[in-house]
Amino acid sequence: MITIAQLAKKFKVENPKKLSEQDKKDPRLEGRFFHSVKDVSLKCDKGQVLGLLGPNGAGKTTTLRMLSTALKPDSGSIIIDDVDVVNQPIIARKKIGFLSGSTGLYGRLTGRENIQYFGRLNDMSESAINARIDEIADQLDMHTFLDRRSENFSTGMKQKTSIARAVVHSPDVVILDEPTTGLDIMAAKTVIDFIRDLKTKGIPVIFSTHHLDEVTELCDHISVIDHGLTTFDGSLSEFTALSPNLHEAFMLTLHRNQN
C-alpha cells in the first residue's frame, strides 16, 4: 500500500525576470519561490492501479519524484507499507521501481547491460539478474533487440528497456511517469499488458498519463492534480459518475480548483 498525505514541495526562483508570462501568472508563484506541489494526498492499495491525471505543469512529475525518493518533500508524508519514505529513503528505494520520463539509457551499453547494471545496484546476484531479464524480456517482447547497443534503439525499445531496468529487482510498488508517451500502438499495448500483469500479481502501480483510454482500461483509482493541489481522489466509478464523457469528467475536476 502507498499512502501520500499533504505533500508539498517548493523551488527557489533564481531569476524571476526569466520566467515566462504564464509562469508569472501561476498562483503557485509566491515571491521568490514556486510551489510546484502545495497539497497532494492519495492512496493506492495492493493490487490497484492508480492513474495520476493533470494538465502539463500541474505537479504530477514532482509528486512522483518525491514518491521515488529522487526529491525530498518540504512537508507531508509518504508511506509504503510500513516504511516512511521521507525518513528512510535508502530502505524505501529497494521497495520502489521508478520510471522517469527524463532518465536516459547508457547508449554504449546494450539493453541487457543497462538492465544488469541496475540489478547490481540493487545487490542482486548475477544468476538472479539473468533469470529476471529473461522473464521481463518475454513479457515486454525484447529478445530481438536486448543485446544491441541502446544508442540505436527506437523510442519503443528505449521505453521497454527503461521499464525493465526499473523493475528488475522485483519492487513492491511501481511508479511510471507517462510510460506510453511517444510509443506506437503495438509498443503501447505491450506496456499496458505489462502493467496489467503487475496488477494481477498484487503490485500497486501509480502511473501518470494523458491518455484517458488507458485510464478506463487499467485503473481502479483516479487522482487529479491541478496547480499543485489534489482536486479529485476516488475510484474510477466515482470519476465516471461526474460525467460519462471522460474528458468532460476530467475538466470538471479542474474546475473544482477554480471555485
Side-chain angles (χ1 to χ4, degrees):
M1 177 189 291
I2 308 166
T3 305
I4 294 175
Q6 297 178 309
L7 212 57
K9 181 66 178 178
K10 66 178 182 292
F11 298 95
K12 187 175 182 180
V13 179
E14 297 297 337
N15 191 343
K17 293 181 179 179
K18 291 187 177 182
L19 292 174
S20 67
E21 289 303 316
Q22 181 177 354
D23 287 337
K24 290 178 182 178
K25 295 177 181 177
D26 195 308
R28 289 174 291 174
L29 181 63
E30 300 175 10
R32 294 186 66 88
F33 289 94
F34 184 80
H35 296 256
S36 179
V37 173
K38 299 189 75 172
D39 188 352
V40 167
S41 299
L42 56 86
K43 185 174 74 170
C44 184
D45 291 327
K46 184 177 180 180
Q48 280 192 336
V49 176
L50 183 148
L52 188 62
L53 308 180
N56 287 332
K60 301 187 302 297
T61 295
T62 300
T63 297
L64 295 183
R65 291 186 70 195
M66 286 189 283
L67 177 53
S68 72
T69 77
L71 284 176
K72 186 174 182 178
D74 297 323
S75 60
S77 64
I78 306 169
I79 306 296
I80 296 177
D81 296 331
D82 58 349
V83 175
D84 185 321
V85 174
V86 178
N87 295 319
Q88 300 172 288
I90 295 176
I91 296 174
R93 282 177 201 143
K94 294 183 180 296
K95 301 175 74 68
I96 298 168
F98 178 52
L99 172 71
S100 168
S102 60
T103 303
L105 301 174
Y106 297 103
R108 292 178 178 269
L109 300 183
T110 66
R112 185 186 301 275
E113 289 168 340
N114 269 280
I115 303 166
Q116 287 173 331
Y117 176 59
F118 271 65
R120 292 171 189 140
L121 288 177
N122 283 282
D123 298 323
M124 296 175 66
S125 68
E126 293 300 312
S127 60
I129 291 171
N130 292 330
R132 181 68 172 143
I133 289 175
D134 287 341
E135 177 187 355
I136 300 171
D138 287 341
Q139 292 176 303
L140 291 176
D141 191 22
M142 298 175 62
H143 288 290
T144 57
F145 61 87
L146 190 59
D147 293 300
R148 290 163 48 187
R149 282 170 62 156
S150 59
E151 62 188 357
N152 300 315
F153 282 0
S154 67
T155 300
M157 293 173 184
K158 289 178 180 177
Q159 192 72 326
K160 288 180 180 181
T161 304
S162 294
I163 292 173
R165 186 176 63 175
V167 301
V168 65
H169 59 302
S170 301
D172 294 337
V173 303
V174 175
I175 305 159
L176 306 171
D177 192 4
E178 299 186 10
T180 61
T181 297
L183 302 188
D184 62 33
I185 293 173
M186 293 305 297
K189 182 181 183 303
T190 300
V191 172
I192 289 170
D193 288 343
F194 184 74
I195 295 173
R196 188 180 288 113
D197 183 65
L198 292 172
K199 178 179 177 178
T200 61
K201 293 176 179 176
I203 299 172
V205 179
I206 295 179
F207 80 103
S208 63
T209 182
H210 291 293
H211 303 295
L212 293 179
D213 56 329
E214 295 176 359
V215 170
T216 56
E217 192 169 354
L218 290 171
C219 294
D220 309 282
H221 200 88
I222 307 295
S223 288
V224 180
I225 299 176
D226 187 27
H227 287 93
L229 299 169
T230 299
T231 57
F232 178 87
D233 185 56
S235 66
L236 177 61
S237 60
E238 289 171 329
F239 184 72
T240 56
L242 298 174
S243 171
N245 183 305
L246 290 186
H247 288 85
E248 184 175 335
F250 173 66
M251 294 305 296
L252 286 171
T253 65
L254 301 188
H255 291 161
R256 289 179 175 184
N257 197 42
Q258 299 172 8
N259 293 333

